[in-house]
Amino acid sequence: MLVKTKAIVISSLKFQEKSLIVKCFTLSNGLKSYFVRDAFSSRKASQKIAYFQPLSILEIEAVHKNKGTLENFKEIKTAIPFQTIHTDIVKSTIVMFLSEILHYSIQEEEKNESLFEFLETALMWLDHHDEISNFHLILLLDATKYLGFYPDISEIDLPYFEMNEGIFTIFHGSNSLTEDETSLLKKLIDLKFDNDQKVFHVVERQILLKVLIDYYSFHLDGFKKPKSLEVLKEVFS
C-alpha cells in the first residue's frame, strides 16, 4: 500500500557498509521501520543521511506492506526545516536524549495522532526558543498523557507520589517519592514550555530527570535508561 504521511525520525542504524535502517513514528501508521539502500554510497549521500537526524520531521511517500518486515521509502522531503535544533549543541543533545526515550516508549505499530501532534508542536517550540532548561522535563511529563500513564492529579494536595499507581497519597510506601521529590513534581506539573525556565536549580532538574526516567521504567515494559543521559546531565550542569 502506498502511503503519504508525516514522520518523525526516532532512530537510524547503519546496516552493513552502505545502508540504513530508519525507525520513524508516522502520523498515519504509528511506528514503522524502513530500509534505506545505499544511503552512504551515492553522490547525494550526505544530503540523504541529513534527513535522518534525531527527531527530524519528514514528509514521506512509502510502500507499507504491513507484514512486520522493513518498509521502503519512495520519496522523502523535509516537512519542517529546523533552524537551530541540529546545530545548537544543547538542543541537539536534548533531541538525541528524547529520541532514545521515544525509541523505548513508542512500541506499537498503531496510529497515535495526538502524540504525533504534541511532539511536532513541542519540537517547533524548541526550534524557535532559547530559554529551554526545562524543555525535556516538561516534554517527558506531558508525553505520558498520550502514552497512557499521566499522574492522577485529583489528590495532588497529598504529600507523597506513588510511582507504580501514579497517584498522590497520604502514605509513604516503598515506591513513593520523598516529600521533597513530590513537591518538585507538583511544581513541574504546573509548568508549560513558555513559563520561567529558572524555576528549578541544576540539582532539582537532575532529581526530576531521575524521577521521570524511573516513572517511565515503572510503566513501560522493556524501557531502558538512555545512553545519552550522562551527556544531557553534562550539558545542563
PDB file of all heavy atoms in Angstrom, residues 195-212:
ATOM      1  N   ASN A 195       6.770  29.013  30.410  1.00  0.00           N
ATOM      2  CA  ASN A 195       6.992  29.514  31.774  1.00  0.00           C
ATOM      3  C   ASN A 195       8.463  29.826  32.023  1.00  0.00           C
ATOM      4  O   ASN A 195       9.341  29.429  31.249  1.00  0.00           O
ATOM      5  CB  ASN A 195       6.513  28.499  32.813  1.00  0.00           C
ATOM      6  CG  ASN A 195       5.002  28.355  32.866  1.00  0.00           C
ATOM      7  OD1 ASN A 195       4.487  27.274  33.064  1.00  0.00           O
ATOM      8  ND2 ASN A 195       4.268  29.452  32.684  1.00  0.00           N
ATOM      9  N   ASP A 196       8.709  30.504  33.126  1.00  0.00           N
ATOM     10  CA  ASP A 196      10.072  30.862  33.526  1.00  0.00           C
ATOM     11  C   ASP A 196      10.953  29.611  33.619  1.00  0.00           C
ATOM     12  O   ASP A 196      10.664  28.689  34.375  1.00  0.00           O
ATOM     13  CB  ASP A 196      10.019  31.575  34.884  1.00  0.00           C
ATOM     14  CG  ASP A 196      11.399  31.955  35.404  1.00  0.00           C
ATOM     15  OD1 ASP A 196      12.361  31.920  34.616  1.00  0.00           O
ATOM     16  OD2 ASP A 196      11.496  32.290  36.595  1.00  0.00           O
ATOM     17  N   GLN A 197      12.030  29.602  32.853  1.00  0.00           N
ATOM     18  CA  GLN A 197      12.900  28.433  32.800  1.00  0.00           C
ATOM     19  C   GLN A 197      13.831  28.335  34.015  1.00  0.00           C
ATOM     20  O   GLN A 197      14.521  27.348  34.203  1.00  0.00           O
ATOM     21  CB  GLN A 197      13.729  28.461  31.513  1.00  0.00           C
ATOM     22  CG  GLN A 197      12.899  28.327  30.238  1.00  0.00           C
ATOM     23  CD  GLN A 197      12.320  26.947  30.054  1.00  0.00           C
ATOM     24  OE1 GLN A 197      12.992  25.943  30.191  1.00  0.00           O
ATOM     25  NE2 GLN A 197      11.023  26.875  29.733  1.00  0.00           N
ATOM     26  N   LYS A 198      13.856  29.382  34.846  1.00  0.00           N
ATOM     27  CA  LYS A 198      14.765  29.383  36.003  1.00  0.00           C
ATOM     28  C   LYS A 198      14.068  28.894  37.274  1.00  0.00           C
ATOM     29  O   LYS A 198      14.563  29.095  38.381  1.00  0.00           O
ATOM     30  CB  LYS A 198      15.337  30.781  36.207  1.00  0.00           C
ATOM     31  CG  LYS A 198      16.205  31.253  35.035  1.00  0.00           C
ATOM     32  CD  LYS A 198      16.863  32.593  35.343  1.00  0.00           C
ATOM     33  CE  LYS A 198      17.826  32.990  34.247  1.00  0.00           C
ATOM     34  NZ  LYS A 198      17.169  33.433  33.039  1.00  0.00           N
ATOM     35  N   VAL A 199      12.913  28.289  37.128  1.00  0.00           N
ATOM     36  CA  VAL A 199      12.132  27.865  38.289  1.00  0.00           C
ATOM     37  C   VAL A 199      12.820  26.742  39.072  1.00  0.00           C
ATOM     38  O   VAL A 199      12.579  26.577  40.266  1.00  0.00           O
ATOM     39  CB  VAL A 199      10.703  27.456  37.845  1.00  0.00           C
ATOM     40  CG1 VAL A 199      10.717  26.179  37.035  1.00  0.00           C
ATOM     41  CG2 VAL A 199       9.766  27.335  39.031  1.00  0.00           C
ATOM     42  N   PHE A 200      13.713  25.985  38.418  1.00  0.00           N
ATOM     43  CA  PHE A 200      14.456  24.920  39.095  1.00  0.00           C
ATOM     44  C   PHE A 200      15.955  25.213  39.084  1.00  0.00           C
ATOM     45  O   PHE A 200      16.478  25.771  38.119  1.00  0.00           O
ATOM     46  CB  PHE A 200      14.239  23.564  38.401  1.00  0.00           C
ATOM     47  CG  PHE A 200      12.820  23.082  38.416  1.00  0.00           C
ATOM     48  CD1 PHE A 200      12.134  22.872  37.234  1.00  0.00           C
ATOM     49  CD2 PHE A 200      12.167  22.819  39.616  1.00  0.00           C
ATOM     50  CE1 PHE A 200      10.828  22.419  37.235  1.00  0.00           C
ATOM     51  CE2 PHE A 200      10.866  22.363  39.633  1.00  0.00           C
ATOM     52  CZ  PHE A 200      10.182  22.171  38.440  1.00  0.00           C
ATOM     53  N   HIS A 201      16.641  24.790  40.145  1.00  0.00           N
ATOM     54  CA  HIS A 201      18.105  24.804  40.154  1.00  0.00           C
ATOM     55  C   HIS A 201      18.605  23.551  39.420  1.00  0.00           C
ATOM     56  O   HIS A 201      17.846  22.615  39.166  1.00  0.00           O
ATOM     57  CB  HIS A 201      18.634  24.796  41.589  1.00  0.00           C
ATOM     58  CG  HIS A 201      18.190  25.977  42.396  1.00  0.00           C
ATOM     59  ND1 HIS A 201      18.448  27.269  42.027  1.00  0.00           N
ATOM     60  CD2 HIS A 201      17.480  26.048  43.557  1.00  0.00           C
ATOM     61  CE1 HIS A 201      17.936  28.094  42.921  1.00  0.00           C
ATOM     62  NE2 HIS A 201      17.338  27.374  43.857  1.00  0.00           N
ATOM     63  N   VAL A 202      19.899  23.544  39.113  1.00  0.00           N
ATOM     64  CA  VAL A 202      20.510  22.418  38.393  1.00  0.00           C
ATOM     65  C   VAL A 202      20.255  21.096  39.115  1.00  0.00           C
ATOM     66  O   VAL A 202      19.848  20.102  38.495  1.00  0.00           O
ATOM     67  CB  VAL A 202      22.033  22.644  38.220  1.00  0.00           C
ATOM     68  CG1 VAL A 202      22.698  21.388  37.675  1.00  0.00           C
ATOM     69  CG2 VAL A 202      22.300  23.806  37.307  1.00  0.00           C
ATOM     70  N   VAL A 203      20.481  21.058  40.418  1.00  0.00           N
ATOM     71  CA  VAL A 203      20.314  19.820  41.189  1.00  0.00           C
ATOM     72  C   VAL A 203      18.849  19.361  41.153  1.00  0.00           C
ATOM     73  O   VAL A 203      18.562  18.165  41.033  1.00  0.00           O
ATOM     74  CB  VAL A 203      20.796  20.010  42.644  1.00  0.00           C
ATOM     75  CG1 VAL A 203      20.453  18.789  43.492  1.00  0.00           C
ATOM     76  CG2 VAL A 203      22.299  20.266  42.680  1.00  0.00           C
ATOM     77  N   GLU A 204      17.928  20.325  41.229  1.00  0.00           N
ATOM     78  CA  GLU A 204      16.499  19.972  41.185  1.00  0.00           C
ATOM     79  C   GLU A 204      16.114  19.370  39.831  1.00  0.00           C
ATOM     80  O   GLU A 204      15.339  18.409  39.762  1.00  0.00           O
ATOM     81  CB  GLU A 204      15.653  21.222  41.458  1.00  0.00           C
ATOM     82  CG  GLU A 204      15.757  21.707  42.896  1.00  0.00           C
ATOM     83  CD  GLU A 204      15.001  22.994  43.145  1.00  0.00           C
ATOM     84  OE1 GLU A 204      14.892  23.824  42.215  1.00  0.00           O
ATOM     85  OE2 GLU A 204      14.514  23.185  44.280  1.00  0.00           O
ATOM     86  N   ARG A 205      16.699  19.904  38.766  1.00  0.00           N
ATOM     87  CA  ARG A 205      16.435  19.327  37.431  1.00  0.00           C
ATOM     88  C   ARG A 205      16.948  17.892  37.352  1.00  0.00           C
ATOM     89  O   ARG A 205      16.305  17.026  36.756  1.00  0.00           O
ATOM     90  CB  ARG A 205      17.104  20.172  36.342  1.00  0.00           C
ATOM     91  CG  ARG A 205      16.361  21.438  36.013  1.00  0.00           C
ATOM     92  CD  ARG A 205      16.829  22.043  34.705  1.00  0.00           C
ATOM     93  NE  ARG A 205      16.403  23.424  34.684  1.00  0.00           N
ATOM     94  CZ  ARG A 205      17.162  24.455  35.021  1.00  0.00           C
ATOM     95  NH1 ARG A 205      18.423  24.265  35.377  1.00  0.00           N
ATOM     96  NH2 ARG A 205      16.692  25.674  34.990  1.00  0.00           N
ATOM     97  N   GLN A 206      18.106  17.646  37.928  1.00  0.00           N
ATOM     98  CA  GLN A 206      18.671  16.291  37.901  1.00  0.00           C
ATOM     99  C   GLN A 206      17.807  15.324  38.708  1.00  0.00           C
ATOM    100  O   GLN A 206      17.605  14.173  38.298  1.00  0.00           O
ATOM    101  CB  GLN A 206      20.105  16.318  38.408  1.00  0.00           C
ATOM    102  CG  GLN A 206      21.053  17.028  37.442  1.00  0.00           C
ATOM    103  CD  GLN A 206      22.494  17.021  37.896  1.00  0.00           C
ATOM    104  OE1 GLN A 206      22.815  16.619  39.015  1.00  0.00           O
ATOM    105  NE2 GLN A 206      23.386  17.480  37.030  1.00  0.00           N
ATOM    106  N   ILE A 207      17.283  15.797  39.852  1.00  0.00           N
ATOM    107  CA  ILE A 207      16.368  14.962  40.643  1.00  0.00           C
ATOM    108  C   ILE A 207      15.119  14.643  39.837  1.00  0.00           C
ATOM    109  O   ILE A 207      14.677  13.486  39.772  1.00  0.00           O
ATOM    110  CB  ILE A 207      15.990  15.675  41.966  1.00  0.00           C
ATOM    111  CG1 ILE A 207      17.200  15.755  42.898  1.00  0.00           C
ATOM    112  CG2 ILE A 207      14.826  14.966  42.662  1.00  0.00           C
ATOM    113  CD1 ILE A 207      17.019  16.710  44.082  1.00  0.00           C
ATOM    114  N   LEU A 208      14.545  15.655  39.207  1.00  0.00           N
ATOM    115  CA  LEU A 208      13.326  15.446  38.416  1.00  0.00           C
ATOM    116  C   LEU A 208      13.567  14.521  37.228  1.00  0.00           C
ATOM    117  O   LEU A 208      12.719  13.693  36.894  1.00  0.00           O
ATOM    118  CB  LEU A 208      12.778  16.791  37.921  1.00  0.00           C
ATOM    119  CG  LEU A 208      11.903  17.550  38.915  1.00  0.00           C
ATOM    120  CD1 LEU A 208      11.652  18.970  38.437  1.00  0.00           C
ATOM    121  CD2 LEU A 208      10.577  16.819  39.135  1.00  0.00           C
ATOM    122  N   LEU A 209      14.718  14.660  36.610  1.00  0.00           N
ATOM    123  CA  LEU A 209      15.046  13.797  35.470  1.00  0.00           C
ATOM    124  C   LEU A 209      15.106  12.336  35.910  1.00  0.00           C
ATOM    125  O   LEU A 209      14.567  11.447  35.243  1.00  0.00           O
ATOM    126  CB  LEU A 209      16.377  14.237  34.857  1.00  0.00           C
ATOM    127  CG  LEU A 209      16.784  13.558  33.553  1.00  0.00           C
ATOM    128  CD1 LEU A 209      15.709  13.697  32.489  1.00  0.00           C
ATOM    129  CD2 LEU A 209      18.100  14.138  33.040  1.00  0.00           C
ATOM    130  N   LYS A 210      15.742  12.084  37.046  1.00  0.00           N
ATOM    131  CA  LYS A 210      15.791  10.714  37.583  1.00  0.00           C
ATOM    132  C   LYS A 210      14.380  10.214  37.908  1.00  0.00           C
ATOM    133  O   LYS A 210      14.026   9.066  37.592  1.00  0.00           O
ATOM    134  CB  LYS A 210      16.672  10.653  38.824  1.00  0.00           C
ATOM    135  CG  LYS A 210      16.785   9.238  39.400  1.00  0.00           C
ATOM    136  CD  LYS A 210      17.600   9.174  40.655  1.00  0.00           C
ATOM    137  CE  LYS A 210      17.775   7.733  41.142  1.00  0.00           C
ATOM    138  NZ  LYS A 210      16.513   6.998  41.312  1.00  0.00           N
ATOM    139  N   VAL A 211      13.573  11.068  38.538  1.00  0.00           N
ATOM    140  CA  VAL A 211      12.188  10.698  38.877  1.00  0.00           C
ATOM    141  C   VAL A 211      11.419  10.301  37.624  1.00  0.00           C
ATOM    142  O   VAL A 211      10.731   9.267  37.596  1.00  0.00           O
ATOM    143  CB  VAL A 211      11.479  11.874  39.596  1.00  0.00           C
ATOM    144  CG1 VAL A 211       9.964  11.681  39.600  1.00  0.00           C
ATOM    145  CG2 VAL A 211      11.988  12.006  41.027  1.00  0.00           C
ATOM    146  N   LEU A 212      11.532  11.096  36.568  1.00  0.00           N
ATOM    147  CA  LEU A 212      10.774  10.835  35.336  1.00  0.00           C
ATOM    148  C   LEU A 212      11.239   9.557  34.644  1.00  0.00           C
ATOM    149  O   LEU A 212      10.422   8.769  34.161  1.00  0.00           O
ATOM    150  CB  LEU A 212      10.888  12.032  34.390  1.00  0.00           C
ATOM    151  CG  LEU A 212      10.109  13.275  34.842  1.00  0.00           C
ATOM    152  CD1 LEU A 212      10.563  14.511  34.067  1.00  0.00           C
ATOM    153  CD2 LEU A 212       8.612  13.069  34.685  1.00  0.00           C
TER     154      LEU A 212
END
